Amino acid sequence: MSTTAKFTVKGALTRARIVEAAADLVLARGVGGTTLDDIRAGTATSKSQLFHYFPDGKRELVAAIASFQAERVLQAQRPFLDTLDTWEAWEGWRDAVIAHYESQPHWGCPIGTMASELIGSDPERAAEVAAHMDRWCGYLRAGLTRMRATGLLRPGADPGELALAIFASLQGGLLLTQTMRSIKPLRAALDAALTALRAEAA
């Protein structure tokens, strides 16, 4: 049974509203800088209501926020993310990623930022958050595997290594984008990654 299955439709919507509002607070202040009182104030939620939807408190809420952020990031890359098996799809994916982060009020990757912050204080929760990043990278790997199978990549190309290199470029670009408050590092990182990928063409 999913977490939201135990709630009514109205309850599930209320829980989703709390998660979305809390996600923006955590993105702006960080996990450690956001208290449950901050979340109650920011979501107009009582303490009893908050613990009704998140019985395990902040740890459960952080997990829900990570899932929400992951889905929001992945959805912004669709439909290209699901069809990364042509050069055109990769170009479309690159444009979708840049458009998404350029439109966000807070620069940087919300999933990577949460994982980095939690690794020192809550390694178990950090691993759960990092799993969303593994899933994200998995889409890239799956697309490259199909490209090798259809002959668009040379037979000796390693989809896993290529996907990891592209994902590392993406995350590095996002880190500099956050630091420099500019989309230019992300654009440059993705352009360089796709140029390197084309060098693996059959």
Side-chain angles (χ1 to χ4, degrees):
M1 180 181 293
S2 68
T3 303
T4 57
K6 58 186 177 183
F7 300 118
T8 63
V9 173
K10 182 179 179 181
L13 290 173
T14 299
R15 186 181 189 277
R17 175 185 62 79
I18 294 171
V19 170
E20 183 172 1
D24 291 334
L25 287 173
V26 169
L27 189 58
R29 304 178 185 181
V31 175
T34 308
T35 66
L36 287 179
D37 285 339
D38 293 330
I39 292 169
R40 287 199 303 107
T43 59
T45 306
S46 67
K47 184 175 182 180
S48 61
Q49 189 178 30
L50 192 61
F51 277 93
H52 169 68
Y53 291 111
F54 306 96
D56 291 336
K58 188 175 179 179
R59 292 187 79 249
E60 183 177 353
L61 180 56
V62 167
I65 290 171
S67 295
F68 168 78
Q69 292 286 27
E71 288 305 318
R72 179 155 65 178
V73 167
L74 295 180
Q75 190 59 36
Q77 300 169 60
R78 290 191 167 100
F80 306 105
L81 187 66
D82 300 312
T83 59
L84 289 175
D85 44 24
T86 66
W87 297 115
E88 292 77 16
W90 278 99
E91 292 296 335
W93 171 78
R94 173 258 189 208
D95 292 343
V97 170
I98 291 173
H100 173 67
Y101 284 103
E102 195 169 27
S103 70
Q104 297 304 299
H106 305 287
W107 302 95
C109 175
I111 313 170
T113 299
M114 286 182 70
S116 297
E117 183 178 355
L118 289 169
I119 193 67
S121 60
D122 192 344
E124 181 180 350
R125 189 64 68 198
E128 293 177 4
V129 175
H132 293 296
M133 299 184 73
D134 292 339
R135 177 185 168 208
W136 186 357
C137 188
Y139 282 100
L140 312 188
R141 183 171 57 252
L144 293 170
T145 298
R146 293 193 299 271
M147 288 183 73
R148 187 179 65 179
T150 56
L152 289 177
L153 293 179
R154 63 182 182 81
D158 186 331
E161 289 296 316
L162 290 173
L164 184 59
I166 294 169
F167 195 65
S169 296
L170 167 62
Q171 291 299 319
L174 284 171
L175 179 60
L176 287 178
T177 286
Q178 185 176 26
T179 303
M180 298 172 64
R181 309 295 293 176
S182 168
I183 200 68
K184 288 183 179 179
L186 177 59
R187 183 180 291 116
L190 291 180
D191 286 347
L194 293 192
T195 296
L197 176 59
R198 283 187 176 275
E200 296 293 322

